[in-house]
Amino acid sequence: MIPMFAMGASDHDDHGHDDHGHGDHGDGHGGHGDHGHGEHGGGSSWWMYLLGFLVLAPTLMCLFNGVVGSSGVSYNPATGEYSSPILMAIILAPAIGAVINGTIGQKLPRPIVNLVGCAAIGLAFLFSISAVGSLMGLEAPAAEGHMAHQPIVYNAFKWIWVGNFQIPAKFVLDPLSAVMILIITGIGTLIHIYSAGYMSHDPAYARFFTYLNLFCFAMLILVLGGNMLLTFVGWEGVGLCSYLLIGFWYTDDAKASAGKKAFVVNRVGDFAFIIGMFLIFTAAESLDYQAITQLATTPETAGPLMGIATAATIFIFIGCTGKSAQIPLFVWLPDAMAGPTPVSALIHAATMVTAGVYLIARMNALFILAPTTMWIVVVVGGVTALMAATIAVVQNDIKKVLAYSTVSQLGYMFMAVGSGALTAGVFHLMTHAFFKALLFLGAGAVIHGLHDEQDIRKMGGLRKSMPIIHWTFLVGCIAIAGVPGFAGFFSKDEILWNVFAQVHAGAPMPGLHVVMWIVGVLTAGLTAFYMFRLYFLTFHGESRVAAGVTPHDAPAAMAMPLIILAALSAVGGYLGVPHILGGLVHWIPGIGEAMSHHILHTWLEQVFTPSANALSIRFEHDQEVVMEWVTMGVSVVVALGAIAASWMLYARPSDVPKTVAERASLPYKILSNKYYVDELYALLFVKPTLLIGRFFHKVVDEVLIDLLLVNGAAWVMESMGAIGKRLQDGNVQRYAGYVVLGLGAIIFLLLIK
Amino acid sequence: MNGISQISLAELRLLAPMLVVTVTGIAVLMLEVFQRSAMSRRYQAWLSVIGLGMAGLDTLYLLARGTEAFAMSQLLYMDGFGFTLDLVVLLGGALAALIAPAYLESHRLERGEYYGLVLFSVVGMMVMNHGADLFTIFMGLELMSIPIYCLAGYFRHSSASAESSMKYFFLGAFASALFLYGIAFVYGMTGTTSLVGVSRVMFSGLGSVDVAGAEAYAASSGFVEYVGLGAEGGPLFALEFLPAMAVLLILAAMAFKVAVVPFHAWTPDVYSGAPSSVVGFMATGVKTAAFGALVRVFMVGFFDQPARLSETGWLSVFFWLALISMVLGNVVAIVQSSVKRMLAYSSIAHAGYIMVGVVGASYSPEGFLQLESVLFYLLTYTLGTVGAFGVLAWFGKRGEEATTYEDLAGVAKKYPGAALAMTIFMLSSAGIPPTAGFMGKFYVFKAAVQTGETAMIALAVVGVLASVSGVYYYLKVIMAMYMKTPRREVHGVAGLELKTALVVCAMGTLLLGILPGIGLGISRAGVLSFLGAPPQVRVELNKLRAPVEAGRAELGAPE
Amino acid sequence: MEGSVPLEWYLILSAAIFAIGGVGVLLRRNAIILFMCIELMLNAVNLTFLAFSRYRTGALGALDLDGHVMSFFVIALAAAEAAVGLAIILSIFRHRRHINVDDGNLLKN
């Protein structure tokens, strides 16, 4: 099977790949069926599973819908909730895939493994579309003439039921989790298909798909879980899968220890998460999101929550800094690039690392009660964004650049949610998922095409040999740089505007938002700069590829996801057109009206209404429009300027970068050593921990515990046991005697005394 | 036993599970008559499992329907409590039947009486579970015990097996005599052996008799005068002493069957001598039925405040029995070199833990519902213990059994499945999450803590500490299997039946550990439907039953 | 009922027999005798049952045959135990060539 499945082989040309360029990821099935005709007969069986998946999945889907009705949504008048087992189907589909590939995957032929892996997540995606479609239909009038979507709730079973600590396995699909599951399953599907190509040479492909499916399963639990504990289960689950996938090539010591580092650093955050959860439970006596939101937004009941809000949210935010790689716990993410590139794309760019942003958005009602935390979030996010962007400028590993870029973009998202612009945060989460997944997959394709070369100094001029990768990568760079019209522009601009303009009670100093806005703009400029540095060094200039390596373009299974993601990165931003630009899209027939009002904002409004009431824009309306134009103009100018600078420095042969590096050797050294954070942590935490550990090992453990307590207790136990043993001498009459003696003793003790 | 009434067909219907098991037992024995000796007898195991399974399904049906009735002239309570215990016992019996074939074949012991004895013993246990009269309970006890004496000595060629049978028999008969003597006293004082009747003529404290209550009952039941306090010629000899003696004699017999210290001494010898395939059943079925009967006798018959709670009440006796059982069982288990004996001592400790649940539940009428912890524990204990002995039955041949830690050394390499199953059972017995044993311990200790009494909380604390020390010897088994190198070749004999049984036990153990709600739900249903509960308990139960029944009505109602 | 033997006498007698049986179980070594001692205890119980039953019927004037019925059950039980018990003793004899319960025990500690 393996030779037949030579889709990664270098003899592929790129004809017919443009067939994949469907902009629509939802229903582009028809076009793929006959796609395979242009391929080499034996050279690629990838279309077989794709075909199978595309035929099988809709069939199953129709069956499912036929059996349970329109995604099975039913109304329960007793609770006033809509319920549908389809939520279970979404979650279980990848779990089943993981079980199949995890148990018998090694014995199955490769195409079947690929089919199972892709079909599992693909089905989840189709189910998600169906469920979200139902959710759109469940509109009910809410306050102030807005429409609210009734969440779809599914109570799977009673999970923990002890006294008043009652945790049901309850899954909730509301507009926020709808956005998340579409990202997870949609991009997940693309990355699964991509992986079939990327991992085609790896013997452990079944294990890879098992982990990948397992990850999707955990991630879906994380976002669909209706209470914090369920989210925590998903939170730990994705952490575990992340660890397994970073250390996927565990025979390499560095990669295995990168996995360990990620796991350990995340444990610090998880611990804080747990403490936050306990705090909330003590005040709210519930971990249910709906209940917590209800309590927090009702003035009469918010009292107890107010007391713990600041502490609890800070702890939860520390948890988020772990999972979402923010200061101080960001150090694991760059190392996590040791994993296979599809993993970096899915887990360490598009989905898992955004869990922190999701959690804050989910718990916005509680965070809004704690202005201090909100400001901490903004500052941490901003500083992280700037710091990571500066590091990215001097990195030479293609994946490391993208990793620091991810840290930086996550910082943006935290700036957004911290300043109360939750929609903007989620919006950037989405567009970032598009373009960063695209960039990672593109980088992966480059690495694949160059036979595992990751150093951009050994690339260059690849645009001729890798046209598809080149063009899609360029789209990704434009999108992340914030060039007007592309996805990143809309979301980044919305964040910057909100940071600049939105006021939240309790700002520690009046000028802080302006400072943070400047940080944001600087970061935007740096982002455009380092991304285009990366782009130019990789695809332009003279080829610096090592001799003997023939670069080849992405094979079809890898090209298709790139093209779809490029399309999404180009147009994804139109889900959130700012109202000052509304006029530009208003003319589009059919959807123009909705688009001019920021589709995503309308969609998420009900989830964020409670906290939106606590915020206000600090400008008069007229002033507001002007200021918004001004801030937008500034960021566009900065981005374009940065691109131009990077073109001048890196697109043509130039001595300037070298000169700068030599002239400013100290800053350069600091940057290329990533501010010595790892070294600092080693000095501050690792070494003292080891010292304390050694002390405890030598003194406390070996002497006090081993010698005195354990051996002492064991000695006492054993001598007691020996006495008990002695009593059991094998004589049945003595045993009868014990019965009589026991009775006598009871009588004596109870009656005679 | 007053008054003769006819047995209605409806009553007979409720006895269907017992009858099915009885008929299956007779059928197995009859088949054995026509059996050619060379032929395999595996079908008999499956026949027994089918019989027990049918009985189990019917029991489940009766339980789900909320059956509550008296049967056989008020000698049996056909209620949820009994049915729940039946389920545990039937499960234990079915697992014992499944474990047997490969074991019996490899030890050349294959004869059909084995299954017949198991089935009859199960019937005895079921009678005990439903007993409403001291005498019914006694008959059930004997029906349960006599086949088990035989099963203990089933290994005919083994001297140890004969010895174990002999010891069990003599001590069992001795305990039976004590039990009967206690019943005789109760009968003499109250004129009845029915538990409800006894409770009406209640003892006020172990030392005296509630004269007024007794006389009222005597009058209402047609007796001219209350019998106890000498109608003529002054008080009877030592009558002050009689009620206490009666309670204590019955308590001793019950404590003997559940094997709590100091009535435990038979356990290690009997368990280590008896064939491995049957020890699991002996350890779990007998304990389940005996705890069922114990709860029934003391909760229905002797629940009255002074008898239970006074300084000399039985509750304090149980308290101390639980305490020393937990400590002694665990401590002596540590120094054992034989896994079978270790499991025997640990079963004493388990009896102690269950006793903690009983003590917690009987502290106050409000806490009665905590009996669910006892039922749940018995279920988890059955899965873990039958499974563990099933794994021991896996190894060994022709009279050579794997019993010591050394015999199990390195088993994991050759038999990874058996080792994994054993690991699950050991973790469950040690009470480590996410296994059923952890939830079981959690609930029984919770039953003690919820009383809010310092002494009870101390008891739970001792229990937790004792179970921590127990982890040592359970982990020793796992360590032997995975980390030691085998001294000699291990022979494993496992058929489909044994593997099925182990899979059921292991899956059940994990399932109940992760979703304890399933087992707890059934246990709660069982406790809520407890017939014969004293009035003050019934008030509490009705409070809890109301929402359940309302829910039931709601589910049944059309939309 | 004038002049009849009072209930206490029966109870004292049966208690004495029970005690003799019990002490026998604890002290005699021969398994058969041990077994007979247990029978003695059961018969003491029978005597108690009958005495109470008779007393209730006679002295209290209530026809109460429960005690009689129970003693029949006990007799039947004793027979069943005898069957099993003697078989077990026989099996012990086959292995040990004697039936002393305190001698040659394999199972201990």
Side-chain angles (χ1 to χ4, degrees), chain A residues 255-315:
Chain A
K255 287 173 176 166
S257 57
K260 260 187 279 178
K261 184 174 178 184
F263 201 73
V264 171
V265 172
N266 265 297
R267 295 307 307 168
V268 178
D270 296 346
F271 187 64
F273 187 130
I274 295 175
I275 294 176
M277 201 153 64
F278 290 163
L279 277 174
I280 290 172
F281 187 78
T282 54
E285 295 191 340
S286 170
L287 293 176
D288 191 287
Y289 290 127
Q290 287 169 324
I292 294 171
T293 305
Q294 184 69 37
L295 285 175
T297 51
T298 315
E300 295 81 45
T301 55
L305 274 176
M306 293 286 273
I308 53 102
T310 306
T313 49
I314 285 177
F315 278 118

Side-chain angles (χ1 to χ4, degrees), chain B residues 318-338:
Chain B
F318 281 156
F319 179 93
W320 288 107
L321 293 188
L323 191 86
I324 51 175
S325 297
M326 290 188 299
V327 172
L328 193 128
N330 277 312
V331 165
V332 186
I334 288 177
V335 293
Q336 295 302 319
S337 57
S338 153

Side-chain angles (χ1 to χ4, degrees), chain A residues 724-726 728-738 740, chain C residues 22 24-30 34 101-102 105 107-109:
Chain A
K725 225 169 140 174
R726 194 82 46 82
Q728 200 81 18
D729 69 344
N731 186 347
V732 66
Q733 288 173 301
R734 190 165 289 191
Y735 298 171
Y738 294 152
V740 175
Chain C
V25 170
L26 294 183
L27 298 181
R28 300 305 297 260
R29 299 170 63 207
N30 187 305
L34 213 71
V101 292
D102 61 347
N105 283 314
L107 304 168
K108 55 178 111 178
N109 297 325

Side-chain angles (χ1 to χ4, degrees), chain A residues 131-360:
Chain A
V132 174
S134 308
L135 182 67
M136 285 175 169
L138 297 176
E139 275 190 314
E144 296 162 26
H146 293 291
M147 301 299 270
H149 299 276
Q150 291 291 315
I152 299 175
V153 177
Y154 187 71
N155 278 303
F157 51 88
K158 289 180 181 179
W159 179 29
I160 298 175
W161 229 250
V162 184
N164 69 339
F165 186 67
Q166 301 182 337
I167 308 288
K170 171 186 170 188
F171 300 102
V172 179
L173 182 72
D174 68 347
L176 178 58
S177 46
V179 172
M180 293 301 291
I181 62 168
L182 286 179
I183 293 172
I184 294 161
T185 58
I187 295 183
T189 306
L190 293 174
I191 291 176
H192 273 69
I193 293 172
Y194 176 93
S195 305
Y198 191 82
M199 299 301 285
S200 60
H201 302 306
D202 201 287
Y205 59 97
R207 186 162 60 91
F208 183 76
F209 275 105
T210 306
Y211 292 165
L212 221 50
N213 274 340
L214 202 62
F215 167 78
C216 293
F217 169 62
M219 192 69 205
L220 286 167
I221 290 180
L222 195 162
V223 297
L224 284 174
N227 51 56
M228 293 186 77
L229 203 60
L230 219 48
T231 296
F232 187 68
V233 169
W235 189 271
E236 291 295 310
V238 292
L240 171 70
C241 294
S242 161
Y243 159 75
L244 290 171
L245 283 164
I246 294 170
F248 182 74
W249 290 305
Y250 53 85
T251 46
D252 182 335
D253 225 24
K255 287 173 176 166
S257 57
K260 260 187 279 178
K261 184 174 178 184
F263 201 73
V264 171
V265 172
N266 265 297
R267 295 307 307 168
V268 178
D270 296 346
F271 187 64
F273 187 130
I274 295 175
I275 294 176
M277 201 153 64
F278 290 163
L279 277 174
I280 290 172
F281 187 78
T282 54
E285 295 191 340
S286 170
L287 293 176
D288 191 287
Y289 290 127
Q290 287 169 324
I292 294 171
T293 305
Q294 184 69 37
L295 285 175
T297 51
T298 315
E300 295 81 45
T301 55
L305 274 176
M306 293 286 273
I308 53 102
T310 306
T313 49
I314 285 177
F315 278 118
I316 288 177
F317 176 61
I318 294 174
C320 296
T321 60
K323 194 66 58 188
S324 296
Q326 297 295 295
I327 293 175
L329 298 178
F330 70 99
V331 288
W332 64 271
L333 185 61
D335 288 24
M337 297 301 125
T341 310
V343 171
S344 313
L346 179 62
I347 301 183
H348 304 123
T351 53
M352 183 185 86
V353 289
T354 62
V357 181
Y358 165 79
L359 190 68
I360 294 181

Side-chain angles (χ1 to χ4, degrees), chain B residues 42 49 66 70 114 125 136 180 205 213 238 242 286 292 304 310 321 327 431 460 466 499 531 537:
Chain B
R42 287 186 174 231
V49 171
F70 295 100
Y114 182 92
M125 291 167 187
T136 328
L180 272 176
L242 271 193
V286 173
D304 235 23
S310 67
L321 293 188
V327 172
K499 286 176 180 163
L531 277 183
V537 170

